[in-house]
Amino acid sequence: MQGASVTAVSDATSAKVHFSRGIPPLEAIPSAEIAELTGSLLSAEASRLFQYAPIGLHAGDAELREQLGAFHAVDPDRIFVTNGSLQALDLLAGHLLKDAPRKKVLAEAPTYDRAVQIFERHGAQVSGIPLRHDGLDLDVLRERLRTEVPAFVYVIPDFQNPAGVTTSEEKRRELVALSAKFGFTILEDIPYRELRFAGTAPTLIGDLADGVEGARVLTIGSLSKVVSPGLRVGYVIAPLGTPKDLAALAESTYLSPAPLLQAVAARAFASGLVRRNIDEVRTLLRPRHDTAVEAVRKALGDAALCVPEGGYYISVHLPVRTTEEKFLAAAGAANIALTRGSAFYPADAAPPSGTVFLRLPFQALSAEEFTEGVTRLAEVAQRAE
Ligand SMILES: Cc1ncc(COP(=O)(O)O)c(C=O)c1O
């Protein structure tokens, strides 16, 4: 049912616009190629793939670890394979918080809401540090570190979910230096890193920490946005030794990720499908990104937190004269599906007063849909009291 506020919107443009989920569009998933290589794997190796994976601190399919090691130019012994990167977040939170004297965790505000829920389930008190257009506000972080050192700091440094922000090279170096000085771990979550449409990639925080005494970085990767989320293949790049600790945790709960899906992922790397698909997804999403950046600028002025250089998201702090509750209701009445922006903030943080935070995923919307969506959002913001 449409509310009175939508009557101004003509029928031709009243279809629902979904700014809600950050999932890959179907055309970004190479389903036919994955099906074909799964078929050939099954005819060649069914008996191995339908047996348990080896036990004894098994860190993942050997070929997949080799491939991931080559992809990231790291020793495969540093790789631990998980069921999607969410499980990596869960295992690492358990690992880092179990015997930690402090349960404090710092995260970007806004940040990926599911990660916060996972950390809290392990007893963490998650506190937000404001996210600027180029990464964490390091002045605020330094101030916090004077009084309390967290068990870990969680960052999504490339095309951040939900804000679209990329952490600058300078801030990455400074984070590594602070990790070394204060002795906290950095969890770096990089599911969107390969989806860059403009500019050059800053160095992985994990790579910057190599050789910096006392710095500790755990990097979490995923195949969800570059091949397929249904494979549920994620991984951790950790210092040597940590994969064995994680394997002990895994073995005492689910033994291992599914051998078949890991083998499919290994084959997807070996056959060149992963690299090819990354190129194709970039080509597919670049125009959607360009449209989104332009449409937000036109309809919402300078409300964007940054101009994203890749990934799925652009986001705004949109000035409104009403509450988030009422704004979301008015947007719903105008047939716009949004995720509640305040849900992306840890409990002790919030968007600047007088604004609502909106994550606007562009990866699955046509130019017409995205433009129509932000135009309607501007109207809603103007009307909502
Ligand atoms: C920052 C971030 N981390 C982790 C995930 C979960 O990815 P996966 O499918 O690998 O579990 C997502 C998914 O949207 C994400 O945005």
Side-chain angles (χ1 to χ4, degrees):
M1 206 179 86
Q2 295 185 346
S5 54
V6 203
T7 47
V9 177
S10 76
D11 280 353
T13 54
S14 63
K16 188 151 193 147
V17 178
H18 289 271
F19 283 129
S20 39
R21 290 197 71 189
I23 67 174
L26 270 184
E27 61 272 28
I29 304 173
S31 303
E33 290 97 320
I34 299 172
E36 196 181 318
L37 61 85
T38 305
S40 69
L41 256 177
L42 284 177
S43 19
E45 295 194 63
S47 52
R48 173 176 80 88
L49 298 174
F50 290 137
Q51 180 53 284
Y52 283 116
I55 55 164
L57 302 186
H58 179 68
D61 179 278
E63 193 192 336
L64 179 56
R65 294 174 73 217
E66 285 291 331
Q67 292 289 346
L68 287 168
F71 189 79
H72 287 286
V74 298
D75 180 346
D77 284 344
R78 294 180 53 197
I79 306 275
F80 180 79
V81 182
T82 56
N83 289 299
S85 55
L86 284 170
Q87 187 172 51
L89 288 171
D90 185 63
L91 286 176
L92 290 174
H95 177 64
L96 295 169
L97 290 166
K98 191 161 90 41
D99 301 318
R102 304 168 300 269
K103 304 284 182 196
K104 176 72 90 185
V105 167
L106 299 179
E108 294 157 329
T111 188
Y112 179 43
D113 50 343
R114 230 182 263 281
V116 172
Q117 288 162 18
I118 290 171
F119 303 154
E120 288 177 343
R121 213 169 47 239
H122 287 279
Q125 270 177 284
V126 183
S127 182
I129 304 287
L131 183 67
R132 306 297 178 209
H133 73 281
D134 59 349
L136 281 173
D137 186 325
L138 292 183
D139 291 335
V140 176
L141 176 62
R142 280 190 212 94
E143 194 57 35
R144 296 283 185 90
L145 292 172
R146 283 155 60 105
T147 51
E148 188 168 27
V149 178
F152 62 88
V153 175
Y154 172 66
V155 290
I156 306 159
D158 302 283
F159 326 126
Q160 202 243 21
N161 181 9
V165 163
T166 293
T167 301
S168 68
E169 183 88 14
E170 297 69 31
K171 286 197 169 178
R172 290 169 191 243
R173 286 183 192 282
E174 182 63 16
L175 273 172
V176 167
L178 291 170
S179 157
K181 180 169 173 195
F182 289 94
F184 60 81
T185 299
I186 298 170
L187 275 198
E188 149 178 73
D189 191 5
I190 58 163
Y192 306 95
R193 181 170 167 88
E194 298 302 323
L195 305 182
R196 172 169 283 278
F197 316 131
T200 42
T203 316
L204 211 60
I205 300 179
D207 287 347
L208 289 174
D210 277 352
V212 176
E213 205 179 314
R216 190 177 160 82
V217 180
L218 297 163
T219 301
I220 300 168
S222 171
L223 298 196
S224 290
K225 305 300 190 311
V226 292
V227 188
S228 147
L231 293 178
R232 306 307 300 132
V233 171
Y235 51 95
V236 181
I237 308 172
L240 285 173
T242 303
K244 292 240 177 289
D245 296 337
L246 297 175
L249 271 179
E251 230 164 78
S252 64
T253 49
Y254 59 90
L255 292 179
S256 79
L260 173 60
L261 299 180
Q262 294 183 79
V264 170
R267 222 21 109 74
F269 275 106
S271 67
L273 174 59
V274 175
R275 286 277 182 208
R276 242 182 0 261
N277 200 57
I278 288 171
D279 286 345
E280 280 174 21
V281 175
R282 281 191 190 136
T283 305
L284 176 74
L285 298 191
R286 185 178 286 114
R288 296 182 190 181
H289 159 274
D290 295 350
T291 298
V293 170
E294 186 54 19
V296 165
R297 200 186 52 73
K298 270 202 182 131
L300 308 176
D302 60 0
L305 271 73
C306 69
V307 176
E309 295 185 328
Y312 281 11
Y313 313 104
I314 185 164
S315 67
V316 291
H317 281 141
L318 190 63
V320 291
R321 294 182 306 274
T322 184
T323 61
E324 181 182 58
E325 208 62 43
K326 287 185 179 157
F327 181 82
L328 290 177
N335 241 353
I336 308 168
L338 289 164
T339 305
R340 175 179 299 279
S342 58
F344 293 110
Y345 283 76
D348 67 350
S353 76
T355 71
V356 287
F357 173 73
L358 302 178
R359 177 184 77 168
L360 304 172
F362 54 75
Q363 85 287 354
L365 297 186
S366 69
E368 295 71 30
E369 286 168 324
F370 194 97
T371 306
E372 170 62 23
V374 288
T375 306
R376 262 189 242 170
L377 275 177
E379 288 166 12
V380 171
Q382 240 178 15
R383 274 200 310 265
E385 298 272 356

